[in-house]
Amino acid sequence: MRIDVDHHAGLPGVFVRVDGKVKINARHMHYRELNNMVKAAASEGVEEIVLENVYGQRYIGSGIRRPVRIVVHGVPGNDLGAFMDGPRITVDRNAQDGVGNTMNSGLIVVHGRAGDIVAMGMRGGKIFIRDGVGYRAAIHMKEYRKFRPILVIGGDTQDFLGEYMAGGLVIVLGLKGKGRRKVKFNARHIGTGMHGGTIFLRGEVEDHQLGKEAAAVPATEEDKDFIRPFVEEYAGYFGANAAEIMGSDFLKVYARSHRPFGGLYAY
Amino acid sequence: MKSYLLPQFLVDRDDYRCIRCEVCVRQCAFDVHWYDGEEDAVFADESKCVGCLRCVTLCPTNALVVRHNPTQHPPNANWTKEVLQNIYKQAETGGVLLTGMGCDKPYPIYWDRIVLDASQVTNPSIDPLREPMELRTYLGAKPDALKIGGKEGKLSLETRITPQLKLETPIMFSAISYGAISYNACESLARAAAEAGTYYNTGEGGLHRNLYKYGDHTICQVASGRFGVHADYLEVAAALEIKIGQGAKPGIGGHLPGEKVSAEISRTRMIPKGTDALSPAPHHDIYSIEDLAQLIYALKEATHWEKPVSVKIAAVHNSAAIASGMVRAGADIIALDGIRGGTGAAPTMIRDNVGIPIELALAAVDDRLRQEGIRNRASIVVAGGIRSSADVVKAIALGADAVYIGTAALVALGCHVCQKCYTGKCNWGIATQDPYLSKRLNPEVGARRLVNLLNAWSHEIMEMLGGMGINAIESLRGNRLRLRGVGLTQEELDILGIKHAGA
């Protein structure tokens, strides 16, 4: 594969300052070196950090507690925004596994697809993925008071979506292909062990695709009003037609119980 | 359905001594005792007694004796009383048998079959009351070599030492979550760790805001449920520990039942009140050693490489190979928890049948890391059945850097090991979230008792070291020549890497 190098980004490992922004050419940089530079720029109070030529560097956005904007050009590595608390990250390509792992607050927008365990243990903030995601998306996502994580997936997902889900909101739009028409979901074990939170699926699933701790009902008009702002936000990032998307039927998947294993033990 | 279960204990009340003060009635959360005004007498429902001895201890006139129910089932070495009672219980409820504390089965306790050496004639023993004796221990990765530089006669250390934990005594308090134990018990542990210059471990239930001030003496755990794990929690800790497994329940996750998720626990774990707190069996971002490395470095990255990262596993058959992988994955500390390790709640069958004794796991892991030349890259901390200072000394001589104590610490706080932690009705105010019960444990008194225990053990360790003619705990580490086995098979001796007594 030919790798295009943007020479305008400056030399690797060197800050380039343009109009209050910082640009870093990440080419051939170890993640530790890159993240140190990103953290240093963020602590200076820079509003936007642009990373060029990112090729698999892990943990971008981790350990920063300011709402700095981070623009990633390239494919970031695993655990993008892990334990993140504030930054707003945009990725112009695909992302890998563990996007938003145990994330607390902030925003991640991926103009492509993402790998497995997107939003694992996520407690707050928002993640928008333009296309589909891998296995176990939103696993053990949870909410607490003002923290309410939101994950919007444009395409579809693999199995175990929302496994152990304890809170938060997941919206799966099922947009796929050139015409971005609605597809039937193939994922199985949706909401296995789910005991909180809500998943909205645009389209249909068979009963056997749901985990036994999850239940599904058609979304009401109130439900759709509730998710509309997030679908509009998705449409704003990726240029989709929110009104058309919201014109379709949604399924609402919820936990049958907040105490799924209450009766398991002989006391 | 009529219960076929027999009372486990009988309560004998000396009516002549009983002054009807009703202390026993008020103290028992299991509602064993009640006072009948008409008869002016105190009665007991023995089927509810768990044998925690709270009433016996507090009775002002020593009017109570709690004893094992002597009723015998028909004699049978196979179908014992315990086996039958378990089956009756499950036939009545259809549930998984639950228990608390560590495995109570009579597996060999190797600590009790290992004896220590002492100096006689040929090398002098040391009296720690008069001579310096060093127990200070540093936990964390040590470099392969030290590079000393400098010019003009002034030496300086050029090797960059990675973050270390400094312990004044090689004993820390094991991971016990807020949820498994009361806030007052957590505060007792935190205050004692700070005062004694050691560390306690939050377990996987997050860290209560009031305890952040003890952060310099706190190891914060990151477990599969990620409860209460957020930036402040990671930042305040002295070290982080990834919990993969626990000796009491290797390979399984955990459920903190919703009724224990009170307002304060909900705030600390950052989950809604009253919902089950489920810890999945694996971390779903760790399916391999490479994935473990990824989480270790994620935590280091999130905390700016300023803290050591520990990884805790249950001692299982192939611990040595796993430990090698853990070191190579970047763990600064390896915590091993043996089959006798405690818990607030575990399925009885798992607790009593899964895992291996810590002594064997420790010897195997230490050997393996030495053989591979990577022993210096991580410290080893062992847990699961450390009951005395002698156990600590034997563990360090077998290869540990330090130990974790959990059950022993709770016993110092008043625990009587009745194994009913999972009911949440602990009469000693330890394993409970009921404010009426938990206020029985005063954190100031609790901290004092724990510090006393650490001081007493530390002094005993110094005496044992001095007896061996050693004046620093460092000189004992992995010094298996100072150990001998008594009544062990050749295979056991080989695994432990020690000689038989007399040899």
Side-chain angles (χ1 to χ4, degrees):
Chain A
M1 190 182 99
R2 199 176 74 93
I3 297 174
D4 294 319
V5 183
D6 177 1
H7 292 287
H8 301 292
L11 292 169
V14 179
F15 286 120
V16 179
R17 291 169 200 278
V18 192
D19 308 331
K21 292 182 195 173
V22 158
K23 233 180 196 192
I24 302 167
N25 183 351
R27 183 165 162 74
H28 290 173
M29 275 175 80
H30 188 269
Y31 72 78
R32 206 172 154 183
E33 196 188 349
L34 173 63
N35 289 331
N36 275 344
M37 289 184 73
V38 175
K39 284 179 189 176
S43 67
E44 270 183 23
V46 170
E47 295 203 345
E48 185 170 322
I49 303 166
V50 181
L51 308 180
E52 305 281 0
N53 300 313
V54 171
Y55 291 107
Q57 283 94 344
R58 292 176 173 181
Y59 318 123
I60 293 172
S62 188
I64 301 172
R65 305 192 67 180
R66 287 191 60 252
V68 59
R69 235 174 91 75
I70 302 173
V71 180
V72 176
H73 294 297
V75 178
N78 291 350
D79 275 348
L80 173 72
F83 306 105
M84 191 168 87
D85 197 21
R88 306 165 69 78
I89 300 178
T90 308
V91 178
D92 70 352
R93 305 267 287 272
N94 293 337
Q96 298 189 11
D97 296 343
V99 173
N101 189 345
T102 324
M103 168 175 163
N104 212 50
S105 71
L107 171 72
I108 299 176
V109 178
V110 177
H111 291 259
R113 56 168 285 114
D116 296 339
I117 58 166
V118 177
M120 163 166 165
M122 181 185 178
R123 184 188 301 111
K126 292 189 220 173
I127 299 177
F128 293 87
I129 310 287
R130 190 191 67 193
D131 304 333
V133 299
Y135 289 85
R136 296 197 152 96
I139 179 168
H140 220 158
M141 196 188 224
K142 42 179 97 70
E143 67 187 54
Y144 172 68
R145 294 194 172 178
K146 67 179 176 25
F147 295 101
R148 175 143 210 215
I150 290 155
L151 168 65
V152 183
I153 297 162
D156 61 1
T157 77
Q158 300 289 353
D159 298 350
F160 292 103
L161 166 68
E163 187 184 15
Y164 279 116
M165 191 169 163
L169 173 64
V170 177
I171 304 169
V172 187
L173 300 179
L175 302 165
K176 212 178 172 187
K178 273 195 175 164
R180 291 169 77 75
R181 285 187 307 273
K182 189 174 82 173
V183 293
K184 187 184 169 312
F185 293 105
N186 294 318
R188 295 167 304 160
H189 310 292
I190 296 169
T192 292
M194 186 175 183
H195 53 292
T198 321
I199 303 171
F200 286 95
L201 300 170
R202 179 173 162 269
E204 281 166 16
V205 291
E206 308 277 339
D207 275 351
H208 69 82
Q209 291 174 263
L210 294 176
K212 62 181 186 294
E213 291 80 19
V217 290
T220 62
E221 281 309 308
E222 289 86 64
D223 289 332
K224 287 172 78 172
D225 288 343
F226 171 65
I227 64 170
R228 183 168 286 115
F230 308 114
V231 174
E232 283 168 355
E233 192 172 346
Y234 172 92
Y237 292 129
F238 307 118
N241 184 338
E244 192 181 305
I245 294 169
M246 290 311 297
S248 351
D249 293 334
F250 279 80
L251 264 183
K252 178 183 177 181
V253 178
Y254 61 95
R256 289 181 188 273
S257 163
H258 296 294
R259 306 275 328 267
F261 305 115
L264 189 61
Y265 300 107
Y267 276 92
Chain B
M1 193 181 342
K2 163 75 181 157
S3 175
Y4 297 168
L5 291 168
L6 297 176
Q8 210 184 339
F9 299 95
L10 296 183
V11 180
D12 294 342
R13 191 185 318 272
D14 184 335
D15 196 50
Y16 178 71
R17 289 183 179 223
C18 178
I19 54 171
R20 279 69 170 155
C21 66
E22 296 180 60
V23 161
C24 52
V25 177
R26 286 188 298 276
Q27 289 294 323
C28 185
F30 294 92
D31 296 326
V32 172
H33 305 275
W34 82 91
Y35 174 70
D36 186 324
E38 269 180 37
E39 297 204 33
D40 185 32
V42 186
F43 296 97
D45 177 353
E46 290 158 326
S47 68
K48 294 174 178 168
C49 180
V50 300
C52 78
L53 306 186
R54 177 79 182 178
C55 57
V56 177
T57 311
L58 268 71
C59 176
T61 57
N62 289 329
L64 289 168
V65 172
V66 170
R67 59 192 170 92
H68 281 262
N69 184 351
T71 306
Q72 297 290 324
H73 284 266
N76 194 317
N78 195 26
W79 298 96
T80 59
K81 183 172 178 177
E82 187 196 351
V83 166
L84 298 180
Q85 298 279 312
N86 280 346
I87 291 176
Y88 296 141
K89 202 177 197 181
Q90 293 191 290
E92 286 164 21
T93 62
V96 170
L97 294 167
L98 209 57
T99 188
M101 307 307 293
C103 172
D104 62 2
K105 293 288 163 286
Y107 293 114
I109 298 172
Y110 289 95
W111 304 133
D112 294 341
R113 298 185 188 194
I114 296 174
V115 289
L116 293 166
D117 192 20
S119 301
Q120 299 292 297
V121 182
T122 54
N123 54 340
S125 47
I126 301 169
D127 180 357
L129 292 177
R130 293 184 296 104
E131 297 181 62
M133 184 69 71
E134 185 68 65
L135 295 190
R136 184 173 290 168
T137 301
Y138 288 92
L139 301 182
K142 308 295 187 292
D144 293 336
L146 290 178
K147 196 174 172 205
I148 310 289
K151 45 192 169 186
E152 292 158 19
K154 279 187 114 180
L155 296 180
S156 63
L157 183 62
E158 287 189 356
T159 310
R160 202 179 138 269
I161 308 289
T162 53
Q164 305 281 320
L165 289 183
K166 178 176 155 190
L167 282 64
E168 295 302 336
T169 188
I171 307 164
M172 303 188 288
F173 299 130
S174 281
I176 313 177
S177 72
Y178 176 41
I181 57 172
S182 63
Y183 171 80
N184 284 358
C186 291
E187 188 181 333
S188 302
L189 291 165
R191 288 167 72 157
E195 195 181 321
T198 184
Y199 299 84
Y200 84 109
N201 188 313
T202 61
E204 59 176 298
L207 180 61
H208 194 284
R209 281 279 161 189
N210 295 353
L211 300 180
Y212 270 55
K213 56 177 176 274
Y214 304 106
D216 288 347
H217 294 276
T218 307
I219 299 174
C220 284
Q221 217 177 43
V222 175
S224 63
R226 305 283 156 91
F227 297 115
V229 177
H230 56 100
D232 291 341
Y233 175 80
L234 298 177
E235 272 174 21
V236 78
L240 300 170
E241 181 169 275
I242 298 171
K243 178 199 176 182
I244 301 293
Q246 178 179 350
K249 38 183 167 179
I252 68 167
H255 307 150
L256 184 71
E259 62 258 25
K260 287 195 191 174
V261 182
S262 64
E264 283 297 304
I265 293 213
S266 131
R267 199 166 304 149
T268 304
R269 295 203 174 207
M270 302 176 89
I271 51 168
K273 203 177 150 183
T275 58
D276 279 353
L278 307 183
S279 290
H283 287 248
H284 280 288
D285 49 359
I286 305 178
Y287 288 3
S288 66
I289 291 292
E290 291 75 12
D291 289 350
L292 173 65
Q294 183 175 304
L295 183 61
I296 290 171
Y297 290 116
L299 291 171
K300 290 188 179 189
E301 195 65 40
T303 53
H304 321 297
W305 300 76
E306 287 164 356
K307 304 171 202 293
V309 174
S310 167
V311 180
K312 177 179 176 179
I313 57 165
V316 290
H317 302 176
N318 54 347
S319 291
I322 298 163
S324 165
M326 286 155 63
V327 175
R328 292 170 196 285
D332 300 298
I333 300 167
I334 288 179
L336 298 167
D337 193 10
I339 190 171
R340 296 189 299 272
T343 178
T348 311
M349 292 304 127
I350 305 281
R351 187 195 73 170
D352 292 350
N353 295 285
V354 184
I356 65 172
I358 190 60
E359 302 91 326
L360 303 177
L362 165 60
V365 167
D366 182 64
D367 273 348
R368 181 68 172 264
L369 300 185
R370 283 175 194 280
Q371 283 159 11
E372 296 185 3
I374 54 173
R375 177 63 183 84
N376 62 303
R377 282 165 56 182
S379 296
I380 299 177
V381 177
V382 296
I386 304 287
R387 306 155 300 167
S388 67
S389 58
D391 291 351
V392 179
V393 171
K394 291 168 188 176
I396 291 172
L398 266 184
D401 288 84
V403 304
Y404 268 137
I405 57 168
T407 302
L410 298 189
V411 169
L413 294 177
C415 168
H416 280 54
V417 199
C418 73
Q419 311 188 33
K420 293 291 185 291
C421 325
Y422 61 93
T423 62
K425 292 182 184 173
C426 177
N427 283 323
W428 292 91
I430 300 167
T432 180
Q433 302 308 323
D434 179 345
Y436 178 72
L437 299 173
S438 60
K439 74 177 181 203
R440 294 175 183 181
L441 178 60
N442 177 331
E444 199 170 322
V445 176
R448 173 61 27 222
R449 297 180 70 98
L450 288 163
V451 171
N452 283 345
L453 181 77
L454 291 179
N455 287 343
W457 283 22
S458 298
H459 187 72
E460 289 173 344
I461 293 169
M462 289 191 213
E463 290 283 359
M464 283 181 264
L465 288 179
M468 287 188 266
I470 292 173
N471 64 3
I473 197 90
E474 292 277 329
S475 310
L476 179 69
R477 185 163 310 121
N479 194 343
R480 299 192 197 176
L481 283 171
R482 309 316 292 269
L483 302 174
R484 288 291 187 274
V486 177
L488 296 175
T489 65
Q490 190 56 50
E491 180 141 35
E492 288 168 320
L493 293 168
D494 289 346
I495 293 166
L496 291 167
I498 60 175
K499 290 180 177 174
H500 201 278

